[in-house]
Amino acid sequence: MTSSNKMMNKIVFYEDRNFQGRSYECSSDCPDMSSYMSRCHSCRVERGCFVVYDCTNFMGNQYFMRRGEYADYMSMMGMSDSIRSCRMIPMHRGSYRMRIYERDNFQGQMHELMEDCENVMDRHSMANIMSCNVMEGNWLMYEQPHYRGRMMYMRPGEYRNFMGSMRFMSVRRIMDSCY
């Protein structure tokens, strides 16, 4: 094994609890896992961080997975057995910057974040985040304060309109500690 292979991110999905049954190994983005497995009840993240989705093409509910063993993560995290896609989160070295806006299309009150924010309402007097511009780093946005509830993975880019009724009340950087 070359040194570059040792550094690759890697997650292994198992059909049954406790790392049993058929498995599928992944080291990059996979938009449709349904051809590899019919269900998933446990996984092992050997290196890096991933976001797994309950629908194909990186849609649906999202779950953040860092290095570790999840022998029965489906029931532990309240997930169904229908993991259908996964996205590898690239390692980021450097600063983190994100601008959050209270309205769609970068309108209304704006704040620039460079660190975690466990309660947007308390810190910035914003009732909700409706758009954002991620300039540097990878972030997780949560629907409840203190990094709870459903979440969304945000990579660098412009997000003009958060579709649906999901509100974001806390924001956390994905730090290199998961690598």
Side-chain angles (χ1 to χ4, degrees), residues 46 55 85 174:
E46 295 184 10
C55 295
S85 57
I174 301 175

Side-chain angles (χ1 to χ4, degrees), residues 62-177:
Q62 304 179 19
Y63 305 93
F64 176 68
M65 312 296 284
R66 68 175 61 239
R67 186 174 51 199
E69 293 188 343
Y70 303 86
D72 186 13
Y73 73 91
M74 294 303 175
S75 61
M76 178 179 71
M77 299 173 98
M79 298 170 65
S80 70
D81 65 357
S82 62
I83 296 304
R84 298 291 180 239
S85 57
C86 79
R87 185 178 298 275
M88 190 248 343
I89 300 173
M91 185 182 299
H92 174 76
R93 299 231 188 259
S95 59
Y96 289 77
R97 280 189 339 141
M98 171 195 282
R99 289 188 182 145
I100 57 174
Y101 299 85
E102 68 177 343
R103 295 197 187 113
D104 291 346
N105 295 310
F106 315 120
Q107 300 295 310
Q109 189 181 160
M110 183 277 293
H111 293 281
E112 186 166 300
L113 303 178
M114 293 189 286
E115 58 186 36
D116 299 348
C117 180
E118 69 180 359
N119 192 323
V120 172
M121 181 66 168
D122 288 351
R123 186 178 296 172
H124 300 295
S125 299
M126 290 176 73
N128 195 9
I129 302 170
M130 295 301 296
S131 58
C132 75
N133 183 3
V134 178
M135 282 110 40
E136 297 177 81
N138 298 293
W139 300 73
L140 296 174
M141 295 177 72
Y142 295 84
E143 70 177 342
Q144 297 174 20
H146 308 289
Y147 320 115
R148 296 200 173 131
R150 291 183 302 166
M151 49 131 299
M152 183 178 283
Y153 166 55
M154 311 300 286
R155 55 187 178 178
E158 293 183 346
Y159 300 86
R160 295 184 171 277
N161 184 348
F162 295 128
M163 303 301 278
S165 59
M166 192 163 165
R167 297 169 36 127
F168 295 108
M169 300 301 298
S170 54
V171 182
R172 174 178 276 167
R173 299 164 294 167
I174 301 175
M175 304 295 284
D176 289 340
S177 61

Side-chain angles (χ1 to χ4, degrees), residues 32-46:
D32 187 359
M33 293 174 39
S34 59
S35 61
Y36 304 110
M37 332 181 63
S38 59
R39 66 184 185 278
C40 180
H41 283 284
S42 58
C43 78
R44 181 178 286 126
V45 179
E46 295 184 10

